[in-house]
Amino acid sequence: MRKKMFILIVVLMSISLIGIIAVQLYWINNALESKQAQFKNDVQKSLGAAAERINEKERNLFNKKIEGFLDNKGLADRAELKSFLIEQIDTVTKEKITFGGTFLEENFKLPTDLLNNDSVIFKRITGKKDISISTSYKSRDNLFSNIDVKEYSFVKRYTDLEKSYFEDSYEDYKRLKPIHDRIGNNELNKTIKEELAKRNIHLDFKYGVYGSDGLATKLKSGYYTIKQKESIPYPLYYDSQTGISYNLHVTFPGRNDHILSGISSILLLSLFFIFIIIIAFSSSLYQLIRQKKISEIKTDFINNMTHEFKTPIATINLALDSIKNPKILGDNAKVMRYVEMIREENKRMHSQVENVLRISRLEKNQIDLSKETIDLHDTIEDAITHVSLLAEDRKGKIVTHFEAIESELPGNQFHLTNVVVNMLENGIKYSEGAPLIDVYTESTEKFFIFKIKDAGIGMGKTVQKQVFNKFYREQKGNIHDVKGHGLGLAYVKEIVEKHNGIVFVESEKGKGSIFTVKLPLI
């Protein structure tokens, strides 16, 4: 995959992920705002119903007090009689209509013990209507005149006018009476709680009643103070004449928890899907990067393998061409030399193929790992014998420091020997000058530990994390010039883990590396 195409795919996937998450978060935010608005609307409706109940109850109580007072009062404190008379005469029909009315206005002063104030007046109005219709006409001989008179009388109370006066009296009553005398804290709290319960709001709340001037009244729960962002206001009392009003402010300490609980299932489901999307995206991105890296590593491996095969194949071809030469055919010594050369190069190619197949068999659990009791000191000595010529060829040396008291453990002699050989070969290959290799052993109660220390070029932290990965080879500086396929340490890790052990590396650039293997004892 080309680098530009890979970057484009990653960018498009990232934009898609960010877009999906942004839409989800936007939806969650809208849902929360909608729930908050709905909660506020329900509370205001509840407060409106509570205010209506309180005002209605106060009005009914005032009305009952007045009615009971008037029934027992009898005579008014002051009365006023008003009359009027209207006549209408039709000259054509000789008909005269007379309208007469008498109104009795009785003023009752409400006593102090009834309303705690003596300045409120209630009016009772009674009226009588008289209607007279008279018609005059002459007899047929015009000798005398006749008058026909019809009279009607109506007596009634003018409740509409009384109601108007009642409203004025009621407003005077409310204006002159302190608000905390009109309703108590217990009744206000109970009424609010009942109205909230009707809308399934069962939360603890705090309230306070404030005047239009912003001053607090005695109606409040505890040391209540208005919080503009949290409190929900609603008019409790209002005086249209003076403009003085009292507002009820209610605050819910558990409001946010209540709102979140209302959408908790959907919210958690949405967050769960966001999490799944992020996991899927991360996994896809990881797989893309991993596949790209594997592709690069495999390409590098194929190139290295081709290079490794190219040299022995060329050598074999040259040896075969030489043997065909008639002069060489007559010289048995030279023929045997070329045959030996062909055999060595063939072994070299066979060894390269075997390394690849060995890793493949390990991954598929097809390799024979029969275990027997072996002495790791002997195994290490045998491995050193295999690579001693390589070290001596570069003027280097391998020094052993066997300090382990117990060195016998269950293992596979062949594969553990290969493990040590691979680690020693690495130390030799990645040493710039004459390789100096130290092999240390030690034992604990449960483990046999051996360390292979070299004074080579070392490696950084990033390389240390990947050095045991299959096909991995560092490609910086002149390291790529070192022959290999990145299979040796991968093989080491697989074999050590098959023996229930662990292998790790400690290294620093320019100061060499220490490979440590811990294997369980018998």
Side-chain angles (χ1 to χ4, degrees), residues 463-477:
V463 178
Q464 291 177 43
K465 294 177 181 178
Q466 304 181 66
V467 73
F468 293 103
N469 293 341
K470 189 170 63 173
F471 302 123
Y472 179 78
R473 296 182 71 225
E474 189 176 10
Q475 299 182 15
K476 293 183 179 178

Side-chain angles (χ1 to χ4, degrees), residues 124 191 249 274 291 293 357 403 415 462 472 494 502:
R124 183 170 64 187
T191 305
H249 293 262
I274 289 176
Q291 289 300 321
K293 189 176 292 184
L357 293 177
E403 298 178 1
H415 288 292
T462 305
Y472 179 78
E494 287 284 346
I502 58 172

Side-chain angles (χ1 to χ4, degrees), residues 208-217 220 224-226 228 244-247 249:
V209 178
Y210 286 75
S212 55
D213 53 4
L215 296 177
T217 66
K220 59 181 178 179
Y224 180 84
T225 54
I226 295 177
Q228 295 296 337
I244 298 174
S245 63
Y246 291 96
N247 292 320
H249 293 262

Side-chain angles (χ1 to χ4, degrees), residues 65-78 106-114 122 124:
K65 285 182 178 181
I66 290 177
E67 288 178 354
F69 170 72
L70 294 180
D71 292 340
N72 298 324
K73 177 69 175 177
L75 298 176
D77 295 302
R78 187 170 65 88
E106 299 173 287
N107 294 329
F108 296 88
K109 184 182 293 185
L110 303 181
T112 303
D113 59 351
L114 185 64
F122 178 75
R124 183 170 64 187

Side-chain angles (χ1 to χ4, degrees), residues 209-238:
V209 178
Y210 286 75
S212 55
D213 53 4
L215 296 177
T217 66
K218 293 182 180 181
L219 293 176
K220 59 181 178 179
S221 53
Y223 297 98
Y224 180 84
T225 54
I226 295 177
K227 296 180 181 179
Q228 295 296 337
K229 292 184 178 180
E230 298 180 10
S231 64
I232 301 175
Y234 197 87
L236 182 62
Y237 295 118
Y238 179 72

